Amino acid sequence: MIRVRVTTAGPLPGATYDVVVVGAGVVGSAIARELARHRLRTALVDARDDVGDGTSKANTAILHTGFDAVPGSLESRLVREGRHLLAAYAAETGIPVEPLGALLVAWDREQLDALPALAAKAERNGYHEAAIIGPDEVYRREPRLGPGALGALDVPGESVICPWTTTLAYATQAVRGGVELHLNCRVENIADDGEHHELTTGRGPLRTRHLINAAGLHADELDRRLGRDDFTVTPRRGQLIVFDKLARPLVNHILLPVPTALGKGVLVSPTVYGNVMLGPTAEDLDDKRATNSTEEGLRALLSQGERIMPELVAEEITTVYAGLRSATEHEDYRIRAHPAQRSLTVGGIRSTGLTASMAIAAHVMDLLPETGLALGPARELEPIRMPNIGEAFPRPYQRPELIAADPAYGTLVCHCERVSLGEIRDALTATVPACSADGLRRRTRARGGRCQGFYCGPAVDDLLDTAAAERGAPGTVTR
Amino acid sequence: MRPDGPSARPHSPAGHPGITERTVDVLVVGGGPAGLTAARRLAAAGAGRVEVLDREREPGGIPRHCFHGGFGARDPRHLVPGPLHGPEYARRLAADALSAGAALRTSVTATGWAGPRTLEITGPGGIERVTARAVVLATGARERPRAARLIPGTRPAGVLTTGELQQAVHLHGRRIGSRAVVVGADAIAHNAVLTLRAAGVETVALVSSRPPLPVPLSLSLPRPRRPVTVLHRTTVTELVGHGRLTGVRLRHEDGRTAVVACDTVVFTGDWIPDHELARRGGIPLDPGTRGPAVDTAYRTAEPGVFAVGNLLHGVERAGIAAEEGRVAAGQVLRHLAGEPWPGPGLPVRVGAPLLWAAPNRVHPGGPPPLYGRFILRTARPLALPRLTVSQDGRILYRRRPPLPALPGRPVHLGSGWTSAADPAGGALLITV
């Protein structure tokens, strides 16, 4: 029997799962990967057509040290542990990471005065490398900073990472380890007969003995369907501006704002793709679909960017996006086992969730027995190697040996991002394949560059349609 | 045409296994009207091995997907449209360059520089480093997409530029949508309407932040058979819709706003030179055009590196770009014959509301620019502008062009004043 491991349409398997993880973001996928080590029938389900298509896709892409977490909190511990776990995992699987270090630049007296407390907080969070540096050193390290920087807190351990490859690596390893991934599968209702949860989904019923709620922005709604009312998610919108790759030489570090009573400010950060990012805004909203950018938001970002680095805002803008962070009324992560419901909820995972994801998954595994789930012995997973879409490592177009072996890696389709036909083909036929233009962009960068499709859009769309036709799914229309 | 060309005596440079090294006489980067025309003349004049690189599968540049007439005018100075369709024009340019003896290599991308006149190239045949005695950059221009124009809203499908629209419809036969709003109201926007119509898409409106063109000029626009509503003094302030575009929010100058239902929006014009290769080579750009700064002989600041076509100015007609290629080829020949590379010369700057001038460097006593004129752009309409050229406060030239100056259209300035400039003086300033 051929076991279908990733499904995007049609009825779901009728058998009963041992555990279903709802939400295939970075956290849900990390948990599914841990579950894959055990002899369990596990499903990972998501309402969207891809993994990592909600909050996980639109964040600031930083691998944090956790220096500024609330000391003693669960978040502080999981970020600290998760950072080391993810750094090691990234090196092993080829997730792009660049250890650039961060500077929290103080632009006024109040911010400068806040630095010693931040340095002390870093110590309490177990991070000992943070140090305050003076303005001369700041400008020596970041000569393109705008005038008026008074000093900075140097946090050398902060890195930038590819959030898309991270989620994909977890999901890929989970699926190869036997987890079934069901996409386009929104959970609409849950009925509990005391032994099974019967999930009503957009693709029909799904039965499971145990349930893990990793539904991110929708974790509160899913919890209420389980009869729990522990927290409410308030979407906090972050708009970000991504500048052209030609701006990359302007910036050497992750330039973080100094949080004060007056507000949090915005960061300027290189991305692993070689762009420079400016943002995010922080707007509390009611609408969990409000991933739109706004005139006021973008204007505010540009005016703050103008102060931090005037040359940056003179560069061309490649793209603008907005993500929704799942803020709750609680300060900390809300990770709770609910023995009566044979379920576990992972809620309130904010922007640190990417860094903490592997530690969150390990913590969830520790808590799962409380829900009555016997995990049994764990096994090692087959190692995986993800395609590199970062600029700090050789891309296929730069690798003569790869092109000699397969000329498709020397046939560039997306010119701005130098994405080859070979990489697109690989992404369309991967374990967790790209099914949409956005999914393909997150796997390869195709169509994600400065022209946004002027040169390559229709050619990329044709490749997507061909792959969809081969899978028997309906084609996409031109974006 | 072969997808990849021959390698003349390839060898691997030390420390770079798998990368072949070659030399040519002239390397032209970009096989559009400017690059192909330069290559044709160079090859015909016996410049040695003249190689054109194009990253697309077919050469020709933007005319490849312009399925309308107007190309190949005998004298591109005049507004008389030429007799050829874009694809036919593209094919002729390529055929002419080939028959003159130029090598045309498609599906290869110049990805960066390995030396002052050495480019690194990736193609299906592998990675090469090609060193040339002269490099001609002809990488063209692209339309700014929605994000670069900072249009807020969601990120739905159905948001295109004219370039993407034309390729999708004419080269790929793709389905587009049913109701479109086109941003822009000049010739390119009207051509987008025709392409949309060819794809069965109704254009609800053209939207332009500018006031209407004066009637005589508007007559030169392509005429759709059915008239299209043009909303002047109006901007797109938001894209609406999840997954697929459902509408665009418009705002009139007077403050009124409305959401127009549509599933497609096409952003036209707003060109930016594709200057990545130039910048990666450290070639100084002109702050106005954002293309490489060049003198009237199309020389950049980097010895042996020329730049032509719409890489220098976003954008002029294809015929102008081609003419620049032809004229620049003459300068390339002089360079190959040993003419010394001049110093940077005097920068040409503009004052508001002028946006840029091209060419934008001058050597007093140097060759005149194409057709003996500089090309300018203005940010706002000027009914009877008086153009003044000065240097260090000294006025060199003052003249009223015969036509009003309009945004998005060329304004021309005669070049007779260049010999009067002081080679030891400061920047030349063009003001209104």
Side-chain angles (χ1 to χ4, degrees), chain A residues 140-203:
Chain A
R140 193 189 64 75
R141 297 230 219 141
E142 288 290 355
R144 310 297 182 115
L145 274 185
L150 303 176
L153 183 68
D154 176 23
V155 189
E158 300 270 306
S159 304
V160 293
I161 185 169
C162 176
W164 306 327
T165 308
T166 305
T167 306
L168 278 164
Y170 295 157
T172 299
Q173 218 174 7
V175 169
R176 289 198 193 160
V179 172
E180 294 166 45
L181 171 62
H182 303 303
L183 298 166
N184 295 313
C185 189
R186 182 182 299 279
V187 176
E188 286 152 4
N189 213 345
I190 303 171
D192 184 359
D193 66 7
E195 200 176 323
H196 299 100
H197 296 286
E198 174 121 5
L199 311 185
T200 309
T201 81
R203 291 177 52 196

Coordinates of all heavy atoms in Angstrom, one line a residue, chain A residues 140-203:
Chain A
R140 N 32.1 53.2 14.1 CA 33.2 52.4 13.5 C 32.6 51.1 12.9 O 32.9 50.7 11.8 CB 34.2 52.1 14.5 CG 35.5 51.5 13.9 CD 36.5 51.0 15.0 NE 36.0 49.8 15.7 CZ 35.9 48.6 15.2 NH1 36.3 48.3 14.0 NH2 35.4 47.6 16.0
R141 N 31.6 50.6 13.7 CA 31.0 49.3 13.2 C 29.9 49.5 12.2 O 29.6 48.7 11.4 CB 30.4 48.6 14.4 CG 31.5 48.2 15.4 CD 31.3 46.8 15.8 NE 31.6 46.6 17.2 CZ 30.9 45.7 17.9 NH1 29.9 45.1 17.4 NH2 31.2 45.6 19.2
E142 N 29.2 50.7 12.3 CA 28.1 51.0 11.4 C 28.3 52.4 10.8 O 27.5 53.3 11.2 CB 26.8 50.8 12.1 CG 26.4 49.4 12.4 CD 26.0 48.6 11.2 OE1 25.9 49.1 10.1 OE2 25.7 47.4 11.4
P143 N 29.2 52.6 9.9 CA 29.5 53.9 9.4 C 28.3 54.6 8.7 O 28.3 55.8 8.6 CB 30.7 53.8 8.5 CG 30.9 52.3 8.4 CD 30.1 51.6 9.3
R144 N 27.3 53.8 8.3 CA 26.2 54.5 7.5 C 25.1 54.9 8.4 O 24.0 55.3 7.9 CB 25.7 53.5 6.4 CG 26.8 52.9 5.5 CD 27.5 54.0 4.8 NE 28.4 53.4 3.9 CZ 28.4 53.5 2.5 NH1 27.4 54.1 1.9 NH2 29.3 52.9 1.8
L145 N 25.2 54.7 9.7 CA 24.1 55.1 10.6 C 23.9 56.6 10.5 O 24.9 57.4 10.3 CB 24.5 54.8 12.1 CG 24.2 53.5 12.7 CD1 24.6 53.5 14.1 CD2 22.7 53.1 12.5
G146 N 22.7 57.0 10.7 CA 22.4 58.5 10.6 C 23.0 59.1 11.8 O 23.5 58.5 12.8
P147 N 23.1 60.5 11.8 CA 23.8 61.2 12.9 C 23.0 61.1 14.2 O 21.7 61.0 14.2 CB 23.9 62.6 12.4 CG 22.8 62.7 11.4 CD 22.6 61.4 10.8
G148 N 23.6 61.2 15.3 CA 22.9 61.3 16.6 C 22.9 60.0 17.5 O 22.3 60.0 18.5
A149 N 23.6 59.0 17.0 CA 23.7 57.8 17.9 C 24.6 58.0 19.1 O 25.7 58.5 18.9 CB 24.2 56.6 17.1
L150 N 24.1 57.7 20.3 CA 24.8 58.1 21.5 C 25.6 56.9 22.1 O 26.5 57.0 22.9 CB 23.8 58.6 22.6 CG 23.0 59.8 22.1 CD1 22.0 60.1 23.2 CD2 23.9 61.0 21.8
G151 N 25.2 55.7 21.6 CA 25.9 54.5 22.1 C 25.0 53.3 21.8 O 24.0 53.5 21.1
A152 N 25.4 52.1 22.2 CA 24.6 50.9 21.9 C 24.9 49.8 22.8 O 26.0 49.8 23.5 CB 24.9 50.5 20.4
L153 N 24.0 48.9 22.9 CA 24.2 47.6 23.6 C 24.6 46.6 22.5 O 23.8 46.4 21.5 CB 23.0 47.2 24.4 CG 23.2 45.9 25.1 CD1 24.2 46.1 26.3 CD2 21.9 45.3 25.7
D154 N 25.8 46.1 22.6 CA 26.3 45.1 21.6 C 25.9 43.7 22.1 O 26.2 43.3 23.2 CB 27.8 45.2 21.6 CG 28.5 44.2 20.7 OD1 27.8 43.7 19.8 OD2 29.7 43.9 20.9
V155 N 25.1 43.0 21.2 CA 24.7 41.7 21.6 C 25.2 40.7 20.5 O 24.5 40.5 19.5 CB 23.1 41.6 21.7 CG1 22.7 40.2 22.2 CG2 22.6 42.7 22.5
P156 N 26.4 40.3 20.6 CA 27.1 39.6 19.5 C 26.4 38.3 19.1 O 26.6 37.8 18.0 CB 28.5 39.4 19.9 CG 28.5 39.5 21.4 CD 27.3 40.4 21.7
G157 N 25.6 37.7 20.0 CA 25.0 36.4 19.7 C 23.8 36.3 18.8 O 23.3 35.3 18.4
E158 N 23.3 37.5 18.4 CA 22.0 37.5 17.6 C 22.4 37.2 16.2 O 23.4 37.7 15.6 CB 21.4 38.9 17.7 CG 20.9 39.3 19.1 CD 19.5 38.8 19.5 OE1 18.6 39.2 18.7 OE2 19.4 38.2 20.5
S159 N 21.5 36.4 15.5 CA 21.7 36.0 14.1 C 20.5 36.3 13.3 O 19.4 36.4 13.9 CB 22.1 34.5 14.1 OG 23.2 34.2 14.9
V160 N 20.6 36.3 12.0 CA 19.5 36.2 11.1 C 19.4 34.8 10.6 O 20.4 34.1 10.4 CB 19.5 37.3 10.0 CG1 19.4 38.7 10.6 CG2 20.7 37.2 9.1
I161 N 18.1 34.4 10.3 CA 17.9 33.0 9.9 C 16.8 33.0 8.8 O 16.0 34.0 8.7 CB 17.5 32.2 11.1 CG1 17.3 30.7 10.8 CG2 16.2 32.7 11.8 CD1 17.2 29.8 12.0
C162 N 16.7 32.0 8.1 CA 15.6 31.8 7.1 C 14.4 31.2 7.8 O 14.4 30.0 8.1 CB 16.0 31.0 5.9 SG 14.6 30.8 4.7
P163 N 13.3 31.9 8.1 CA 12.2 31.3 8.7 C 11.4 30.3 7.9 O 10.8 29.4 8.4 CB 11.3 32.5 9.1 CG 11.7 33.6 8.1 CD 13.1 33.4 7.7
W164 N 11.5 30.5 6.6 CA 10.7 29.6 5.7 C 11.4 28.3 5.6 O 10.7 27.2 5.7 CB 10.7 30.2 4.3 CG 10.1 31.6 4.2 CD1 9.1 32.1 5.0 CD2 10.5 32.7 3.3 NE1 8.9 33.4 4.7 CE2 9.7 33.8 3.6 CE3 11.4 32.8 2.3 CZ2 9.8 35.0 3.0 CZ3 11.5 34.0 1.6 CH2 10.7 35.1 1.9
T165 N 12.7 28.2 5.4 CA 13.4 27.0 5.4 C 13.3 26.2 6.7 O 13.2 25.0 6.7 CB 14.9 27.1 5.0 OG1 15.0 27.9 3.8 CG2 15.6 25.8 4.7
T166 N 13.2 27.0 7.8 CA 13.1 26.3 9.1 C 11.9 25.5 9.2 O 11.9 24.3 9.5 CB 13.2 27.4 10.2 OG1 14.4 28.2 10.1 CG2 13.2 26.8 11.6
T167 N 10.7 26.2 8.9 CA 9.4 25.4 9.0 C 9.4 24.3 8.0 O 9.0 23.2 8.4 CB 8.3 26.4 8.7 OG1 8.4 27.5 9.6 CG2 6.9 25.8 8.9
L168 N 9.9 24.5 6.8 CA 9.9 23.5 5.8 C 10.8 22.3 6.2 O 10.4 21.1 6.0 CB 10.4 24.0 4.5 CG 9.4 24.8 3.7 CD1 10.1 25.6 2.6 CD2 8.4 23.8 3.0
A169 N 11.9 22.6 6.9 CA 12.8 21.5 7.3 C 12.1 20.6 8.3 O 12.1 19.4 8.2 CB 14.1 22.1 7.9
Y170 N 11.4 21.3 9.3 CA 10.7 20.5 10.3 C 9.6 19.6 9.7 O 9.5 18.5 9.9 CB 10.0 21.5 11.3 CG 10.9 22.3 12.2 CD1 10.4 23.5 12.7 CD2 12.2 21.9 12.5 CE1 11.1 24.3 13.6 CE2 13.0 22.7 13.3 CZ 12.4 23.9 13.9 OH 13.2 24.7 14.7
A171 N 8.8 20.3 8.8 CA 7.7 19.6 8.2 C 8.2 18.4 7.3 O 7.7 17.3 7.3 CB 6.9 20.5 7.4
T172 N 9.3 18.7 6.6 CA 9.9 17.7 5.7 C 10.3 16.5 6.5 O 10.0 15.3 6.1 CB 11.1 18.3 4.9 OG1 10.6 19.4 4.1 CG2 11.7 17.2 4.0
Q173 N 11.0 16.8 7.6 CA 11.5 15.6 8.4 C 10.4 14.9 9.1 O 10.4 13.7 9.2 CB 12.5 16.2 9.4 CG 13.7 15.2 9.6 CD 14.8 15.8 10.5 OE1 14.6 16.9 11.1 NE2 15.9 15.1 10.6
A174 N 9.4 15.6 9.4 CA 8.2 15.0 10.1 C 7.5 14.1 9.1 O 7.2 12.9 9.4 CB 7.2 16.1 10.5
V175 N 7.3 14.6 7.8 CA 6.6 13.8 6.8 C 7.5 12.5 6.5 O 7.0 11.4 6.4 CB 6.3 14.6 5.6 CG1 5.8 13.8 4.4 CG2 5.2 15.7 6.0
R176 N 8.8 12.8 6.3 CA 9.6 11.6 6.0 C 9.6 10.6 7.1 O 9.9 9.4 6.9 CB 11.0 12.1 5.6 CG 11.0 12.8 4.3 CD 12.5 12.9 3.8 NE 12.5 13.8 2.7 CZ 13.6 14.3 2.2 NH1 14.8 14.1 2.8 NH2 13.6 15.2 1.2
G177 N 9.4 11.1 8.3 CA 9.4 10.2 9.5 C 8.0 9.6 9.7 O 7.8 8.9 10.7
G178 N 7.1 9.8 8.8 CA 5.8 9.1 8.9 C 4.6 9.9 9.3 O 3.5 9.5 9.3
V179 N 4.8 11.2 9.6 CA 3.7 12.1 9.9 C 2.9 12.4 8.6 O 3.5 12.6 7.6 CB 4.2 13.4 10.6 CG1 3.0 14.4 10.7 CG2 4.8 13.1 11.9
E180 N 1.6 12.4 8.7 CA 0.8 12.7 7.5 C 0.4 14.2 7.6 O 0.0 14.7 8.7 CB -0.5 11.9 7.5 CG -0.1 10.4 7.3 CD -1.3 9.5 7.5 OE1 -2.4 9.8 7.1 OE2 -1.1 8.4 8.2
L181 N 0.6 14.9 6.5 CA 0.4 16.3 6.5 C -0.9 16.6 5.6 O -0.9 16.2 4.4 CB 1.6 17.0 5.9 CG 1.5 18.5 5.6 CD1 1.2 19.3 6.9 CD2 2.7 19.1 4.9
H182 N -1.9 17.2 6.2 CA -3.1 17.5 5.5 C -3.3 19.0 5.4 O -3.5 19.7 6.4 CB -4.3 16.8 6.1 CG -4.2 15.4 6.3 ND1 -4.0 14.5 5.2 CD2 -4.2 14.6 7.4 CE1 -3.9 13.3 5.6 NE2 -4.0 13.3 6.9
L183 N -3.2 19.5 4.2 CA -3.3 21.0 4.0 C -4.7 21.3 3.5 O -5.5 20.5 3.2 CB -2.2 21.5 3.0 CG -0.8 21.2 3.5 CD1 0.2 21.4 2.4 CD2 -0.5 22.1 4.7
N184 N -5.0 22.6 3.4 CA -6.3 23.1 3.1 C -7.4 22.4 4.0 O -8.5 22.1 3.5 CB -6.7 22.8 1.6 CG -5.8 23.6 0.6 OD1 -5.6 24.8 0.8 ND2 -5.2 22.9 -0.3
C185 N -7.0 22.3 5.2 CA -7.8 21.4 6.1 C -8.2 22.3 7.4 O -7.6 22.1 8.4 CB -7.0 20.2 6.4 SG -7.9 18.9 7.3
R186 N -9.1 23.2 7.2 CA -9.4 24.0 8.4 C -10.3 23.3 9.4 O -11.3 22.6 9.0 CB -10.2 25.2 7.9 CG -10.6 26.2 9.0 CD -11.4 27.4 8.4 NE -10.7 28.1 7.4 CZ -9.8 29.1 7.7 NH1 -9.5 29.4 9.0 NH2 -9.1 29.7 6.7
V187 N -9.9 23.3 10.6 CA -10.7 22.6 11.7 C -11.9 23.6 12.1 O -11.7 24.7 12.6 CB -9.9 22.3 12.9 CG1 -10.7 21.7 14.0 CG2 -8.7 21.3 12.5
E188 N -13.1 23.1 11.8 CA -14.3 23.9 12.1 C -14.9 23.6 13.4 O -15.5 24.5 14.0 CB -15.3 23.8 10.9 CG -14.8 24.5 9.6 CD -15.3 23.9 8.3 OE1 -16.1 23.0 8.4 OE2 -14.8 24.4 7.3
N189 N -14.9 22.4 13.8 CA -15.5 22.0 15.0 C -14.8 20.8 15.6 O -14.1 20.0 14.9 CB -17.0 21.7 14.8 CG -17.8 22.2 16.1 OD1 -17.2 22.4 17.1 ND2 -19.1 22.3 15.9
I190 N -15.0 20.6 16.9 CA -14.5 19.4 17.6 C -15.5 18.8 18.5 O -16.2 19.5 19.3 CB -13.3 19.8 18.5 CG1 -12.2 20.5 17.7 CG2 -12.7 18.6 19.2 CD1 -11.1 21.1 18.5
A191 N -15.8 17.5 18.3 CA -16.7 16.8 19.2 C -15.9 15.8 20.0 O -15.0 15.1 19.4 CB -17.8 16.1 18.4
D192 N -16.1 15.7 21.3 CA -15.3 14.8 22.1 C -16.2 13.7 22.8 O -17.1 14.1 23.5 CB -14.6 15.6 23.2 CG -13.6 14.8 24.1 OD1 -13.5 13.6 23.8 OD2 -13.0 15.4 25.0
D193 N -15.9 12.4 22.5 CA -16.8 11.4 23.1 C -16.1 10.8 24.3 O -16.5 9.7 24.8 CB -17.1 10.3 22.0 CG -15.9 9.5 21.6 OD1 -14.8 9.7 22.2 OD2 -16.0 8.7 20.6
G194 N -15.1 11.5 24.8 CA -14.4 11.0 26.0 C -13.2 10.1 25.7 O -12.4 9.9 26.5
E195 N -13.2 9.6 24.4 CA -12.1 8.8 24.0 C -11.5 9.3 22.7 O -10.3 9.2 22.5 CB -12.6 7.4 23.8 CG -11.5 6.3 23.9 CD -12.0 4.9 23.8 OE1 -13.1 4.6 24.3 OE2 -11.4 4.1 23.1
H196 N -12.3 9.9 21.9 CA -11.8 10.4 20.6 C -12.3 11.9 20.5 O -13.4 12.2 20.9 CB -12.4 9.6 19.4 CG -12.0 8.2 19.5 ND1 -12.8 7.2 19.9 CD2 -10.8 7.6 19.1 CE1 -12.2 6.1 19.8 NE2 -11.0 6.3 19.3
H197 N -11.5 12.6 19.7 CA -11.9 13.9 19.2 C -12.3 13.7 17.8 O -11.6 13.1 17.0 CB -10.8 14.9 19.2 CG -10.3 15.3 20.6 ND1 -11.0 16.1 21.5 CD2 -9.2 14.9 21.2 CE1 -10.3 16.2 22.6 NE2 -9.2 15.5 22.5
E198 N -13.5 14.1 17.4 CA -13.9 14.0 16.0 C -13.9 15.5 15.5 O -14.7 16.3 15.9 CB -15.4 13.4 15.9 CG -15.9 13.5 14.5 CD -16.2 12.1 13.9 OE1 -16.1 11.1 14.6 OE2 -16.5 12.1 12.7
L199 N -12.9 15.7 14.7 CA -12.7 17.0 14.1 C -13.6 17.2 12.9 O -13.5 16.3 12.0 CB -11.3 17.3 13.8 CG -10.2 17.0 14.8 CD1 -8.8 17.5 14.3 CD2 -10.5 17.7 16.1
T200 N -14.3 18.3 12.8 CA -15.0 18.6 11.5 C -14.1 19.5 10.8 O -13.7 20.6 11.3 CB -16.3 19.3 11.8 OG1 -17.1 18.5 12.7 CG2 -17.1 19.4 10.5
T201 N -13.7 19.1 9.6 CA -12.8 20.0 8.8 C -13.4 20.3 7.5 O -14.4 19.7 7.1 CB -11.4 19.3 8.6 OG1 -11.5 18.4 7.5 CG2 -10.9 18.6 9.8
G202 N -12.8 21.3 6.8 CA -13.3 21.6 5.5 C -13.1 20.5 4.5 O -13.7 20.5 3.4
R203 N -12.4 19.4 4.9 CA -12.2 18.3 4.0 C -12.8 17.0 4.6 O -12.4 15.9 4.3 CB -10.7 18.1 3.7 CG -10.1 19.2 2.9 CD -8.6 19.0 2.7 NE -8.3 17.7 2.2 CZ -7.1 17.1 2.3 NH1 -6.1 17.8 2.7 NH2 -6.9 15.9 1.8

